[in-house]
Amino acid sequence: MPEVKSIFREVLPKQGQLSMEDVPTMVLCKPKLLPLKSVTLEKLEKMQMEAQEAVKQQELSMKEQPQ
């Protein structure tokens, strides 16, 4: 890598203390997309809907039989 010459000259004190502050900065990352409903919740809802449909079918068949 070629050495880049800076227009600023580094100055170090000859007496006293030299201190340097490391200021933490925020690092932004990509947003994570989360599903509105989890896969497990969707499976449970599907099972519940199927169970409700099965109950409705049984009720309809029970109503039709006594006649």
Side-chain angles (χ1 to χ4, degrees):
M1 293 175 96
E3 191 173 319
V4 178
K5 292 191 177 188
S6 175
I7 59 171
F8 298 106
R9 190 171 53 92
E10 185 178 286
V11 177
L12 296 174
K14 300 209 186 305
Q15 292 180 345
Q17 294 181 348
L18 177 65
S19 66
M20 183 175 155
E21 282 188 38
D22 185 25
V23 181
T25 59
M26 276 189 12
V27 176
L28 299 176
C29 60
K30 287 182 175 179
K32 295 179 180 156
L33 298 176
L34 298 174
L36 295 175
K37 290 185 178 180
S38 68
V39 175
T40 308
L41 180 61
E42 288 181 4
K43 286 180 183 179
L44 288 173
E45 287 179 344
K46 183 179 176 184
M47 288 172 53
Q48 185 178 11
M49 292 290 287
E50 290 172 354
Q52 286 176 348
E53 290 295 321
V55 169
K56 284 181 185 179
Q57 292 295 327
Q58 286 179 353
E59 288 176 354
L60 287 175
S61 65
M62 293 295 271
K63 286 182 182 178
E64 291 174 1
Q65 281 181 348
Q67 292 178 352

